[in-house]
Amino acid sequence: MTPYVCFLLCCLALPLQGLKIFDPEEVEYIRSNATATLGGSVTLDCGSVMPAIYIWGFTKPGTDNNVAVAHNYGQGPKVQSQSSSLGSIKLQVNTSTLVIEELQKEATGMYTCQALYDTDKGARITFYFTRLEVEDE
């Protein structure tokens, strides 16, 4: 997880030059669980407000390898091709919400959205963790 966070922070450094994080010790962590049916769809939230920058990652159960699924570094949303084994992945328009349709059993695992919000007081970072269980029909 540490190399992934370092990668995120390095990627954020260029577009955020001059953006001040008002208290880097106050990172918020929000955890949730979701259950969906094999072949169905699921919607995973990354907060109720659109962050300035976000990245979705996926960790398969029993591993510590976090793989990028989708992101928006301020230049438009992108879905990573290596995430196709999870199902058909989309980002809802003008949000950071991740939608997975045609769910595969491989989609079971931990989804992490790392969101950076640009506020009047400086940047605020929130991690949204959603544990997804894909059940047979």
Side-chain angles (χ1 to χ4, degrees):
M1 181 75 168
T2 303
Y4 187 67
V5 172
C6 292
F7 171 75
L8 172 67
L9 294 176
C10 289
C11 289
L12 296 177
L14 290 176
L16 297 179
Q17 289 179 358
L19 183 62
K20 182 179 179 185
I21 297 176
F22 64 95
D23 188 350
E25 298 298 319
E26 289 190 31
V27 175
E28 187 175 9
Y29 299 93
I30 298 174
R31 299 177 194 289
S32 63
N33 294 300
T35 303
T37 304
L38 182 66
S41 66
V42 67
T43 301
L44 305 177
D45 292 321
C46 182
S48 58
V49 177
M50 176 74 158
I53 293 173
Y54 63 86
I55 184 167
W56 275 99
F58 170 73
T59 305
K60 192 177 215 175
T63 71
D64 59 359
N65 187 21
N66 195 339
V67 178
V69 173
H71 62 83
N72 185 342
Y73 298 138
Q75 299 176 351
K78 305 272 189 258
V79 174
Q80 300 298 303
S81 60
Q82 72 265 19
S83 61
S84 63
S85 66
L86 306 174
S88 176
I89 296 184
K90 300 174 185 170
L91 290 162
Q92 282 185 350
V93 178
N94 297 322
T95 73
S96 55
T97 300
L98 187 73
V99 178
I100 310 173
E101 298 174 336
E102 302 169 19
L103 274 166
Q104 301 300 306
K105 195 66 173 171
E106 293 81 14
T108 294
M110 179 66 75
Y111 291 81
T112 306
C113 181
Q114 300 171 28
L116 181 95
Y117 298 94
D118 187 9
T119 71
D120 293 339
K121 297 178 182 178
R124 181 174 55 86
I125 299 172
T126 304
F127 283 69
Y128 299 90
F129 297 98
T130 305
R131 183 173 305 281
L132 175 64
E133 182 68 35
V134 178
E135 298 177 338
D136 293 329
E137 295 180 46

